[in-house]
Amino acid sequence: MNRRPFHFGEVVVLSLLFLIGGGLIYGSQFNREVGERMVQLLEKPFFSTILGAILVLAVALRLLGGLRKSRDVFIDYQSEGGSVGISTRAVQDFVERIGHEFAAVKKIETKLLPRRGGGIDLLAMVSVRAGNKIPELSQLMQQRIREGVRESLGLEDIGTITVRVKEIV
């Protein structure tokens, strides 16, 4: 869910770079005549300028893409009155609040993982206080998180809820 999609300009520039790189490899390894023609083209100022511009544009697009603020991703579902969207950050905060209901949990971090065909899986990484029965705690947390997300947020399509104990404190 956190992946930044490619934009049209990036796809075009990356495709051109792929074709140029593939042509250079093909020309140098498999067909010397093609390689010599490409070198002749690159010796002409017009073509070398275009190749340089493509390289600079590719780097600029990737850098600018990385500087954009990530937009909040929403999980959408249909309700009786229309469509409802809940931000993934809101779901993570909600699950973390549920985790803190357990006295044994000192710290919890969550991740939402999209599933193919829709729905989400949840990953909860917890720091547990020593002296607690981890298998029982994990099972109770999984049940409570599933119930809470279904009842309070209305999300029905929840796959696996994985609890990973990061540390015992």
Side-chain angles (χ1 to χ4, degrees):
M1 283 187 200
N2 294 331
R3 289 189 190 145
R4 187 180 65 81
F6 282 107
H7 295 283
F8 179 74
E10 288 177 296
V11 171
V12 169
V13 170
L14 291 174
S15 297
L16 285 171
L17 285 173
F18 181 79
L19 289 172
I20 292 167
L24 288 170
I25 291 170
Y26 177 76
S28 67
Q29 297 298 316
F30 303 107
N31 189 339
R32 294 281 183 189
E33 187 177 320
V34 171
E36 289 172 9
R37 286 185 186 164
M38 289 188 77
V39 169
Q40 288 172 356
L41 282 175
L42 291 176
E43 288 176 352
K44 296 180 181 179
F46 176 75
F47 288 106
S48 60
T49 302
I50 288 176
L51 179 59
I54 289 172
L55 291 170
V56 169
L57 187 59
V59 170
L61 285 173
R62 291 310 295 166
L63 287 175
L64 289 175
L67 295 177
R68 286 190 203 127
K69 289 185 180 177
S70 62
R71 293 185 207 155
D72 227 354
V73 177
F74 287 84
I75 300 169
D76 295 321
Y77 66 92
Q78 296 298 319
S79 70
E80 293 176 14
S83 178
V84 177
I86 301 175
S87 81
T88 55
R89 184 72 240 159
V91 175
Q92 288 172 315
D93 290 343
F94 182 79
V95 171
E96 289 171 9
R97 273 192 227 109
I98 290 174
H100 285 295
E101 291 175 3
F102 293 87
V105 174
K106 183 173 181 179
K107 184 178 175 184
I108 181 170
E109 298 172 21
T110 59
K111 289 186 180 178
L112 272 64
L113 309 167
R115 288 187 321 183
R116 293 183 192 260
I120 57 170
D121 292 331
L122 294 167
L123 171 62
M125 294 163 289
V126 295
S127 296
V128 178
R129 290 186 171 87
N132 290 284
K133 296 179 181 177
I134 293 174
E136 291 175 14
L137 174 66
S138 299
Q139 188 175 21
L140 287 172
M141 282 184 68
Q142 289 168 329
Q143 290 173 349
R144 177 67 184 101
I145 289 169
R146 187 177 305 279
E147 290 169 3
V149 169
R150 281 188 177 154
E151 290 173 12
S152 297
L153 302 181
L155 297 175
E156 294 291 330
D157 198 2
I158 301 165
T160 58
I161 299 173
T162 304
V163 176
R164 290 201 178 139
V165 178
K166 240 175 32 172
E167 65 180 333
I168 299 173
V169 290

